[in-house]
Short mmCIF file of all heavy atoms in Angstrom, two decimals:
data_model
loop_
_atom_site.label_atom_id
_atom_site.label_comp_id
_atom_site.label_asym_id
_atom_site.label_seq_id
_atom_site.Cartn_x
_atom_site.Cartn_y
_atom_site.Cartn_z
N PRO A 36 -3.81 34.69 -9.91
CA PRO A 36 -3.64 36.09 -9.50
C PRO A 36 -2.31 36.34 -8.83
O PRO A 36 -1.86 35.55 -8.01
CB PRO A 36 -4.83 36.31 -8.54
CG PRO A 36 -5.81 35.23 -8.87
CD PRO A 36 -5.02 34.06 -9.32
N THR A 37 -1.69 37.48 -9.13
CA THR A 37 -0.46 37.90 -8.48
C THR A 37 -0.49 39.41 -8.23
O THR A 37 -1.25 40.13 -8.84
CB THR A 37 0.77 37.59 -9.36
OG1 THR A 37 0.60 38.22 -10.62
CG2 THR A 37 0.97 36.12 -9.55
N ILE A 38 0.33 39.85 -7.31
CA ILE A 38 0.47 41.29 -7.11
C ILE A 38 1.26 41.88 -8.27
O ILE A 38 2.11 41.22 -8.83
CB ILE A 38 1.17 41.59 -5.77
CG1 ILE A 38 2.38 40.70 -5.57
CG2 ILE A 38 0.23 41.42 -4.63
CD1 ILE A 38 3.12 40.98 -4.30
N ARG A 39 0.98 43.12 -8.64
CA ARG A 39 1.55 43.66 -9.84
C ARG A 39 2.10 45.09 -9.64
O ARG A 39 2.92 45.29 -8.78
CB ARG A 39 0.52 43.58 -10.95
CG ARG A 39 0.12 42.11 -11.24
CD ARG A 39 -1.13 41.99 -12.03
NE ARG A 39 -1.48 40.56 -12.20
CZ ARG A 39 -2.66 40.12 -12.51
NH1 ARG A 39 -3.65 40.93 -12.71
NH2 ARG A 39 -2.88 38.83 -12.65
N ILE A 40 1.62 46.06 -10.44
CA ILE A 40 2.16 47.42 -10.32
C ILE A 40 2.02 47.90 -8.87
O ILE A 40 0.94 47.85 -8.28
CB ILE A 40 1.40 48.37 -11.26
CG1 ILE A 40 1.83 48.11 -12.71
CG2 ILE A 40 1.69 49.81 -10.90
CD1 ILE A 40 3.22 48.52 -13.06
N VAL A 41 3.12 48.36 -8.28
CA VAL A 41 3.11 48.86 -6.89
C VAL A 41 3.35 50.36 -6.91
O VAL A 41 4.27 50.85 -7.53
CB VAL A 41 4.23 48.16 -6.07
CG1 VAL A 41 4.26 48.70 -4.66
CG2 VAL A 41 4.02 46.63 -6.07
N GLY A 42 2.48 51.08 -6.21
CA GLY A 42 2.63 52.52 -6.11
C GLY A 42 2.19 53.27 -7.36
O GLY A 42 2.71 54.37 -7.65
N GLY A 43 1.31 52.70 -8.14
CA GLY A 43 0.94 53.27 -9.43
C GLY A 43 -0.35 54.04 -9.44
O GLY A 43 -0.96 54.32 -8.38
N GLU A 44 -0.81 54.42 -10.66
CA GLU A 44 -2.03 55.15 -10.83
C GLU A 44 -2.71 54.69 -12.10
O GLU A 44 -2.07 54.10 -12.99
CB GLU A 44 -1.77 56.67 -10.88
CG GLU A 44 -0.82 57.04 -12.01
CD GLU A 44 -0.39 58.50 -11.93
OE1 GLU A 44 0.28 58.88 -10.97
OE2 GLU A 44 -0.77 59.27 -12.88
N ILE A 45 -4.01 54.94 -12.22
CA ILE A 45 -4.78 54.46 -13.34
C ILE A 45 -4.36 55.20 -14.64
O ILE A 45 -4.13 56.40 -14.63
CB ILE A 45 -6.29 54.67 -13.08
CG1 ILE A 45 -6.74 53.70 -11.96
CG2 ILE A 45 -7.11 54.42 -14.32
CD1 ILE A 45 -8.17 53.93 -11.50
N VAL A 46 -4.31 54.44 -15.73
CA VAL A 46 -4.00 55.00 -17.05
C VAL A 46 -5.31 55.45 -17.71
O VAL A 46 -6.29 54.72 -17.70
CB VAL A 46 -3.28 53.96 -17.94
CG1 VAL A 46 -3.11 54.49 -19.36
CG2 VAL A 46 -1.95 53.58 -17.32
N LYS A 47 -5.30 56.62 -18.32
CA LYS A 47 -6.48 57.09 -19.01
C LYS A 47 -6.70 56.36 -20.33
O LYS A 47 -5.76 55.94 -20.97
CB LYS A 47 -6.38 58.61 -19.25
CG LYS A 47 -6.39 59.45 -17.97
CD LYS A 47 -6.28 60.93 -18.27
CE LYS A 47 -6.30 61.75 -17.00
NZ LYS A 47 -6.19 63.22 -17.30
N GLU A 48 -7.96 56.24 -20.72
CA GLU A 48 -8.32 55.58 -21.96
C GLU A 48 -7.60 56.21 -23.15
O GLU A 48 -7.56 57.43 -23.28
CB GLU A 48 -9.82 55.66 -22.16
CG GLU A 48 -10.37 54.84 -23.30
CD GLU A 48 -10.70 53.41 -22.87
OE1 GLU A 48 -11.30 53.25 -21.80
OE2 GLU A 48 -10.31 52.50 -23.61
N GLY A 49 -6.99 55.38 -23.99
CA GLY A 49 -6.39 55.86 -25.23
C GLY A 49 -4.99 56.40 -25.12
O GLY A 49 -4.37 56.70 -26.15
N VAL A 50 -4.43 56.50 -23.89
CA VAL A 50 -3.11 57.09 -23.75
C VAL A 50 -2.02 56.09 -24.13
O VAL A 50 -1.00 56.46 -24.70
CB VAL A 50 -2.90 57.56 -22.29
CG1 VAL A 50 -1.47 58.04 -22.07
CG2 VAL A 50 -3.88 58.69 -21.97
N ARG A 51 -2.24 54.80 -23.86
CA ARG A 51 -1.25 53.77 -24.18
C ARG A 51 -1.93 52.64 -24.99
O ARG A 51 -2.03 51.50 -24.53
CB ARG A 51 -0.64 53.20 -22.87
CG ARG A 51 0.07 54.29 -22.09
CD ARG A 51 0.79 53.74 -20.85
NE ARG A 51 1.49 54.82 -20.17
CZ ARG A 51 2.64 54.71 -19.54
NH1 ARG A 51 3.24 53.53 -19.48
NH2 ARG A 51 3.21 55.75 -18.97
N PRO A 52 -2.33 52.94 -26.22
CA PRO A 52 -3.05 51.93 -27.00
C PRO A 52 -2.19 50.71 -27.34
O PRO A 52 -2.73 49.63 -27.59
CB PRO A 52 -3.42 52.69 -28.28
CG PRO A 52 -2.41 53.81 -28.39
CD PRO A 52 -2.13 54.21 -26.95
N TRP A 53 -0.90 50.86 -27.34
CA TRP A 53 0.04 49.77 -27.64
C TRP A 53 0.23 48.80 -26.49
O TRP A 53 0.80 47.74 -26.67
CB TRP A 53 1.40 50.34 -28.04
CG TRP A 53 1.75 51.61 -27.34
CD1 TRP A 53 1.60 52.89 -27.80
CD2 TRP A 53 2.22 51.79 -25.98
NE1 TRP A 53 2.00 53.83 -26.85
CE2 TRP A 53 2.39 53.16 -25.73
CE3 TRP A 53 2.57 50.89 -24.98
CZ2 TRP A 53 2.87 53.67 -24.53
CZ3 TRP A 53 3.03 51.37 -23.76
CH2 TRP A 53 3.16 52.76 -23.56
N MET A 54 -0.26 49.17 -25.30
CA MET A 54 -0.14 48.26 -24.17
C MET A 54 -1.02 47.03 -24.44
O MET A 54 -2.19 47.12 -24.79
CB MET A 54 -0.61 48.96 -22.90
CG MET A 54 -0.46 48.11 -21.63
SD MET A 54 1.29 47.79 -21.24
CE MET A 54 1.12 46.29 -20.27
N THR A 55 -0.41 45.86 -24.27
CA THR A 55 -1.05 44.62 -24.71
C THR A 55 -1.12 43.60 -23.57
O THR A 55 -0.18 43.50 -22.75
CB THR A 55 -0.25 44.02 -25.90
OG1 THR A 55 -0.30 44.97 -26.99
CG2 THR A 55 -0.87 42.69 -26.35
N SER A 56 -2.18 42.85 -23.56
CA SER A 56 -2.35 41.76 -22.60
C SER A 56 -2.13 40.45 -23.34
O SER A 56 -2.78 40.17 -24.37
CB SER A 56 -3.76 41.78 -22.00
OG SER A 56 -4.07 40.56 -21.35
N LEU A 57 -1.19 39.62 -22.84
CA LEU A 57 -1.06 38.26 -23.30
C LEU A 57 -2.08 37.44 -22.54
O LEU A 57 -2.17 37.51 -21.33
CB LEU A 57 0.33 37.71 -23.05
CG LEU A 57 1.47 38.07 -24.02
CD1 LEU A 57 2.73 37.34 -23.61
CD2 LEU A 57 1.11 37.77 -25.45
N GLN A 58 -2.85 36.60 -23.28
CA GLN A 58 -3.92 35.83 -22.63
C GLN A 58 -3.82 34.36 -23.03
O GLN A 58 -3.51 34.02 -24.18
CB GLN A 58 -5.28 36.41 -23.01
CG GLN A 58 -5.38 37.90 -22.64
CD GLN A 58 -6.79 38.45 -22.71
OE1 GLN A 58 -7.66 37.86 -23.30
NE2 GLN A 58 -7.00 39.61 -22.09
N PHE A 59 -4.08 33.53 -22.04
CA PHE A 59 -4.09 32.07 -22.28
C PHE A 59 -5.49 31.58 -21.93
O PHE A 59 -5.96 31.75 -20.82
CB PHE A 59 -3.05 31.37 -21.39
CG PHE A 59 -2.83 29.92 -21.73
CD1 PHE A 59 -2.02 29.57 -22.78
CD2 PHE A 59 -3.43 28.92 -20.99
CE1 PHE A 59 -1.79 28.23 -23.12
CE2 PHE A 59 -3.21 27.59 -21.29
CZ PHE A 59 -2.40 27.24 -22.36
N ASP A 60 -6.16 31.00 -22.89
CA ASP A 60 -7.56 30.62 -22.77
C ASP A 60 -8.40 31.80 -22.31
O ASP A 60 -9.30 31.67 -21.48
CB ASP A 60 -7.71 29.44 -21.79
CG ASP A 60 -7.28 28.12 -22.40
OD1 ASP A 60 -7.28 28.01 -23.62
OD2 ASP A 60 -6.95 27.19 -21.63
N GLY A 61 -8.07 32.99 -22.84
CA GLY A 61 -8.84 34.18 -22.56
C GLY A 61 -8.54 34.88 -21.26
O GLY A 61 -9.20 35.87 -20.92
#
Side-chain angles (χ1 to χ4, degrees):
T37 55
I38 45 179
R39 297 165 183 160
I40 288 289
V41 178
E44 58 188 66
I45 292 174
V46 174
K47 294 181 179 179
E48 189 87 46
V50 174
R51 299 184 178 214
W53 32 261
M54 184 65 205
T55 299
S56 166
L57 279 184
Q58 304 192 344
F59 190 80
D60 284 338

